[in-house]
Amino acid sequence: MKPAGRIGVKEIAKMTNVSIATVDRVLHNRPGVSPATEKKIRAVIRKYNYQPNILARTLATRKTLKLAALIPAVSKETTYWQAPLDGIDEAENEIRQFGIAVEKYFFDLNDAQSFVRQARKILRNKADGVLLAPHFANDAETFSRQLADKQIPFVYINSDVPGQENLSYIGPHLYQSGYLGGQLADFIGGEKSTCLVVNISRIPDSYYYLLKKEEGFRAYFEGRNKVKILKTDIQKTDYPSIKKELTALLNTHKIDLIFVTNSRVFYVARFLEERGMEHIRLIGFDMIDRNIRHLEEGTIDFLISQKPREQAYRGILALYNKLIKGADVEKQCFMPIDIITKENYRFYTN
Amino acid sequence: MKPAGRIGVKEIAKMTNVSIATVDRVLHNRPGVSPATEKKIRAVIRKYNYQPNILARTLATRKTLKLAALIPAVSKETTYWQAPLDGIDEAENEIRQFGIAVEKYFFDLNDAQSFVRQARKILRNKADGVLLAPHFANDAETFSRQLADKQIPFVYINSDVPGQENLSYIGPHLYQSGYLGGQLADFIGGEKSTCLVVNISRIPDSYYYLLKKEEGFRAYFEGRNKVKILKTDIQKTDYPSIKKELTALLNTHKIDLIFVTNSRVFYVARFLEERGMEHIRLIGFDMIDRNIRHLEEGTIDFLISQKPREQAYRGILALYNKLIKGADVEKQCFMPIDIITKENYRFYTN
DNA sequence: CTGAAAGCGCTTACAG
DNA sequence: CTGAAAGCGCTTACAG
């Protein structure tokens, strides 16, 4: 079990003429050890590069940790958040036997107050670590400060809030995903084409994030004046509103390609289908069911996806590693920017 | 630790009026238990859905398992196999504390005998499970039968050999990756273009695998007679030979796009650069350094990659799960078919 | 066919 | 400031 050549607390105790209890004390930086013996013990630990047996530690530590996950609820508007939810469950299954439980809290993407309420609930119920999607930047900041005050580690997924004491951010690199969108548009657009960038969002919720992607998209074409870029911000997230906006635009402009900066691309696909304008190329984000349908039918050419399941999975594991193993965690972890088409989506893993 | 409401061997023993040793016997189907008590014990196990604590089991079982991995050596010809090697190391690091050691054996991609020799060595050194890349189908078959005879579970990665008793195959879906190649070619090729499929391999080693990809590529264009497809099999893997072949072809045909069915696409890229024919679109496989350089420079448009690191990583974990947890393992596990471009390769995880 | 006891490598009261 | 002892949930000889 103990790999050959490895030592344990017993060996350390023997070599330093103390009991294993004392060894344990310095291992966990607990007080009540004289400087002299502490020094002796640390020397041996370093010399033999002692690595604790996590199995034995977990088994002996009866303590079970409680993590909290705060993410948007799956809604009729978007099923996107099903994937992170799956990731949480998957991670929990793997670490449950190590005494970790994960409690899930859901908020409404269209209601900042629901975020605040759930955050309060987490604080009340106590948790040893928190995973959250800081969708409402201001409220997330408040919550983050409260967690930091209580020394509870927390991890952001899906979007970042700069300047916080989060253990880690695990999610997309927005700018670069937009840049990639530009490249894909370039691949499939002809010479001298006109692109339309569509941001669908109730301002100001996640509008900022969409702008980052638009910025990247535009940056790709900078200095290659082959493409003309139009844009529209649609601030309602229901189909009729979107239809109205697009109708107006397409009546007055000849568009070759549309780049939708989030998962709501299926609305645009539906619109193009209804109008018989499938020749317009379409690129969007996220592999939700409704988008896949249009990928299948050929209305959507590319989806860009950033492993929503894995973001949450890794977030939970990061908290576990920090809390149980005391391991370091990368402060920023950008997910791969995956390109999904009709011909590879079946093999994609979130 | 023991999640609330869960029982352990002690509880089972108490409820059935036996000792925990007897419980342990039926838990592991060991002989020496009367049918009557066995029945009693099994009933309780079922009723309470007893789940063993893997931590405690691993800790108590001093036994350390030895896995063997048999893969091609990294060579000057291709660094592709560095990635699986990394995957093996990563998996080993994660499960080392559970008493698993992995021994690595390397063979020469151009020498079937080296495969045979290493396989023999594995048999001699004994192993509790084997991960292998069955590159030479016939020899792999022989080895597989020997392993099956000894009841040693084994997992294939990277390529499959049908009809064997492998625990699992973890790797690409060749046909579909070729099909995706077709779609990408379609995206970036103009109307009415001519494609050249290039298979670079010493026949018959891995030629069969390349043909599968070609087949998929061709299938994509079936019934859309916009594209003319040429092909060439280059049976030498050195640059001068490849150059000669390509020179002859490009002198006599007008080619718009080249699809190279393996990682040797960098040779073709180099050729196009030397001839100043970078306008020819180029699609190939695998994210090895030399290919990335050409992706950067724009000579290669797309690389298709199938997570070589993760194949090996998962293969080792599959063996671990089978051996330690007795878990079931999927017989076929196809990896995602990732699309790599200049703009997303930096975020790609093998 | 069965059980008492020791042990895996740690942690945790408790006593001094 | 320090140590002896019990215990986490299992497995493994050993004895009967």
Side-chain angles (χ1 to χ4, degrees):
Chain A
M1 188 56 236
K2 197 166 36 174
R6 290 221 150 297
I7 61 169
V9 284
K10 214 192 298 184
E11 284 75 22
I12 299 177
K14 204 169 300 164
M15 298 171 92
T16 49
N17 295 314
V18 298
S19 72
I20 56 170
T22 298
V23 174
D24 194 66
R25 283 184 188 98
V26 351
L27 242 23
H28 294 90
N29 304 309
R30 267 188 256 106
V33 183
S34 79
T37 76
E38 171 166 357
K39 204 176 150 206
K40 263 196 308 187
I41 294 173
R42 287 209 189 283
V44 173
I45 289 175
R46 203 167 315 112
K47 178 172 172 196
Y48 291 89
N49 183 26
Y50 165 75
Q51 302 285 4
N53 181 325
I54 302 291
L55 258 59
R57 173 179 291 179
T58 310
L59 190 61
T61 315
R62 247 77 46 94
K63 179 180 52 170
T64 105
L65 289 182
K66 201 164 71 175
L67 303 183
L70 176 56
I71 60 171
V74 174
S75 68
K76 305 101 270 144
E77 255 180 64
T78 170
T79 56
Y80 174 82
W81 287 94
Q82 182 61 48
L85 189 53
D86 292 343
I88 292 169
D89 289 336
E90 189 187 338
E92 189 183 11
N93 281 333
E94 276 184 29
I95 60 180
R96 195 204 322 273
Q97 57 181 306
F98 301 115
I100 317 277
V102 184
E103 287 174 352
K104 283 159 280 188
Y105 297 79
F106 301 102
F107 62 89
D108 180 341
L109 267 177
N110 294 318
D111 176 9
Q113 272 315 303
S114 70
F115 179 92
V116 174
R117 276 196 304 275
Q118 296 292 65
R120 283 213 197 95
K121 212 192 270 185
I122 291 175
L123 256 12
R124 228 180 304 126
N125 292 356
K126 307 229 188 315
D128 301 291
V130 177
L131 176 84
L132 73 152
H135 187 74
F136 304 103
N138 287 338
D139 301 308
E141 224 178 295
T142 308
F143 185 37
S144 296
R145 270 198 302 271
Q146 294 169 318
L147 291 171
D149 279 352
K150 292 182 191 294
Q151 314 245 45
I152 300 171
F154 56 100
V155 169
Y156 294 149
I157 58 167
N158 195 60
S159 58
D160 202 1
V161 181
Q164 301 310 117
E165 295 183 55
N166 54 314
L167 179 66
S168 179
Y169 162 67
I170 301 173
H173 190 300
L174 299 168
Y175 178 90
Q176 188 63 28
S177 70
Y179 201 95
L180 175 67
Q183 190 193 27
L184 295 177
D186 189 22
F187 274 138
I188 61 178
E191 297 294 301
K192 287 276 164 213
S193 57
T194 302
C195 293
L196 170 65
V197 175
V198 178
N199 301 314
I200 304 174
S201 155
R202 316 194 180 201
I203 294 173
D205 289 358
S206 51
Y207 183 57
Y208 165 83
Y209 305 126
L210 305 190
L211 278 189
K212 273 278 177 212
K213 296 185 197 174
E214 179 182 337
E215 208 181 295
F217 185 83
R218 286 176 182 278
Y220 176 84
F221 289 106
E222 230 145 70
R224 351 187 169 195
N225 66 348
K226 54 186 285 200
V227 164
K228 189 174 149 201
I229 301 178
L230 307 174
K231 78 163 283 185
T232 176
D233 292 331
I234 304 180
Q235 309 184 22
K236 301 273 182 61
T237 59
D238 60 302
Y239 182 60
S241 306
I242 292 164
K243 182 174 178 176
K244 200 172 129 211
E245 284 279 336
L246 291 177
T247 303
L249 258 161
L250 292 188
N251 281 343
T252 51
H253 297 83
K254 191 198 150 292
I255 306 285
D256 301 294
L257 183 145
I258 300 180
F259 179 63
V260 184
T261 50
N262 65 7
S263 66
R264 301 220 162 61
V265 56
F266 61 85
Y267 282 136
V268 179
R270 176 176 160 191
F271 174 80
L272 293 179
E273 275 181 9
E274 285 180 13
R275 297 267 299 233
M277 303 181 85
E278 287 97 339
H279 63 279
I280 295 184
R281 303 294 211 156
L282 188 51
I283 301 176
F285 282 81
D286 301 329
M287 223 180 83
I288 61 178
D289 285 349
R290 281 192 284 190
N291 287 344
I292 290 177
R293 222 188 50 232
H294 290 108
L295 205 59
E296 265 293 359
E297 289 166 0
T299 335
I300 295 178
D301 293 288
F302 288 113
L303 289 172
I304 296 172
S305 172
Q306 301 232 229
K307 303 203 181 296
R309 185 196 53 78
E310 197 172 324
Q311 288 177 30
Y313 173 83
R314 289 218 215 172
I316 295 292
L317 284 195
L319 289 167
Y320 161 71
N321 282 328
K322 169 73 176 174
L323 255 18
I324 296 281
K325 303 194 193 172
D328 293 333
V329 174
E330 289 272 337
K331 174 92 186 191
Q332 289 220 320
C333 173
F334 293 117
M335 301 304 288
I337 310 175
D338 294 317
I339 303 169
I340 314 294
T341 77
K342 179 179 177 181
E343 301 311 336
N344 73 348
Y345 84 83
R346 253 156 292 163
F347 295 86
Y348 186 60
T349 50
N350 259 339
Chain B
M1 187 58 236
K2 197 166 35 175
R6 291 221 150 297
I7 61 169
V9 284
K10 214 193 297 183
E11 284 75 22
I12 299 177
K14 205 170 298 164
M15 298 170 92
T16 49
N17 293 316
V18 298
S19 72
I20 57 171
T22 298
V23 173
D24 194 65
R25 284 185 187 98
V26 351
L27 242 24
H28 294 89
N29 305 308
R30 267 187 256 105
V33 183
S34 79
T37 74
E38 172 167 356
K39 203 174 148 206
K40 263 195 309 186
I41 294 172
R42 288 209 187 280
V44 173
I45 289 175
R46 206 166 313 113
K47 178 171 172 197
Y48 291 89
N49 183 28
Y50 166 76
Q51 302 285 4
N53 182 326
I54 302 291
L55 257 59
R57 173 179 292 180
T58 310
L59 191 60
T61 315
R62 246 78 45 93
K63 178 179 52 170
T64 105
L65 289 183
K66 201 165 71 176
L67 303 183
L70 177 55
I71 60 173
V74 174
S75 68
K76 305 101 270 142
E77 256 181 62
T78 171
T79 56
Y80 174 82
W81 287 94
Q82 182 61 48
L85 188 54
D86 292 343
I88 292 170
D89 289 336
E90 190 187 338
E92 188 183 10
N93 281 333
E94 276 183 29
I95 60 180
R96 196 205 320 275
Q97 57 181 306
F98 300 114
I100 316 278
V102 183
E103 287 173 353
K104 284 160 279 189
Y105 298 79
F106 302 103
F107 63 89
D108 180 343
L109 268 177
N110 295 318
D111 176 8
Q113 273 314 303
S114 71
F115 179 92
V116 175
R117 276 196 304 275
Q118 294 294 64
R120 283 213 196 95
K121 212 193 269 186
I122 291 175
L123 256 13
R124 227 181 303 126
N125 293 355
K126 307 229 186 316
D128 301 291
V130 177
L131 176 84
L132 73 152
H135 187 73
F136 305 102
N138 287 337
D139 300 308
E141 225 179 294
T142 307
F143 185 37
S144 296
R145 270 198 302 271
Q146 293 169 318
L147 291 171
D149 280 351
K150 293 180 190 295
Q151 315 246 44
I152 300 172
F154 57 99
V155 170
Y156 293 149
I157 59 167
N158 196 60
S159 58
D160 202 0
V161 182
Q164 302 311 118
E165 294 183 55
N166 55 312
L167 179 66
S168 178
Y169 162 68
I170 301 173
H173 190 300
L174 299 168
Y175 178 90
Q176 188 63 27
S177 69
Y179 202 95
L180 175 68
Q183 190 193 28
L184 295 177
D186 190 22
F187 273 138
I188 61 178
E191 296 295 300
K192 286 276 166 213
S193 57
T194 301
C195 292
L196 170 64
V197 176
V198 178
N199 301 315
I200 304 174
S201 154
R202 316 193 181 204
I203 293 173
D205 289 357
S206 50
Y207 184 57
Y208 165 83
Y209 305 126
L210 305 190
L211 279 189
K212 273 278 176 212
K213 297 186 197 175
E214 180 181 337
E215 207 181 296
F217 185 83
R218 287 176 180 279
Y220 176 85
F221 288 107
E222 231 145 69
R224 349 188 171 194
N225 66 347
K226 54 186 285 199
V227 165
K228 188 172 149 203
I229 301 179
L230 306 175
K231 79 163 282 183
T232 177
D233 292 331
I234 304 180
Q235 307 184 22
K236 302 271 183 61
T237 59
D238 61 301
Y239 182 60
S241 306
I242 292 165
K243 182 173 178 176
K244 202 173 127 208
E245 283 279 337
L246 291 177
T247 303
L249 258 160
L250 291 187
N251 281 342
T252 51
H253 297 84
K254 191 198 150 291
I255 305 287
D256 301 294
L257 183 146
I258 301 181
F259 179 64
V260 183
T261 49
N262 65 7
S263 66
R264 299 213 161 65
V265 57
F266 60 86
Y267 283 136
V268 180
R270 176 176 160 191
F271 174 79
L272 294 179
E273 274 181 9
E274 285 179 12
R275 297 266 301 232
M277 302 181 83
E278 288 96 338
H279 63 279
I280 295 185
R281 303 295 211 156
L282 188 52
I283 301 175
F285 283 80
D286 301 328
M287 222 180 84
I288 60 178
D289 285 348
R290 281 192 284 190
N291 287 343
I292 290 177
R293 221 188 51 232
H294 289 109
L295 204 60
E296 266 293 357
E297 290 166 359
T299 336
I300 294 178
D301 293 288
F302 288 113
L303 288 173
I304 297 172
S305 171
Q306 301 232 227
K307 302 203 183 296
R309 186 196 52 80
E310 196 171 324
Q311 288 177 29
Y313 174 82
R314 288 218 215 172
I316 295 291
L317 283 195
L319 289 167
Y320 162 70
N321 282 327
K322 168 73 176 176
L323 255 18
I324 296 279
K325 304 195 193 171
D328 292 333
V329 174
E330 290 272 336
K331 173 92 184 190
Q332 290 219 320
C333 174
F334 293 117
M335 301 305 287
I337 310 176
D338 294 317
I339 303 169
I340 314 294
T341 78
K342 179 179 177 180
E343 301 311 336
N344 73 348
Y345 83 83
R346 253 155 293 163
F347 295 88
Y348 185 60
T349 51
N350 258 337

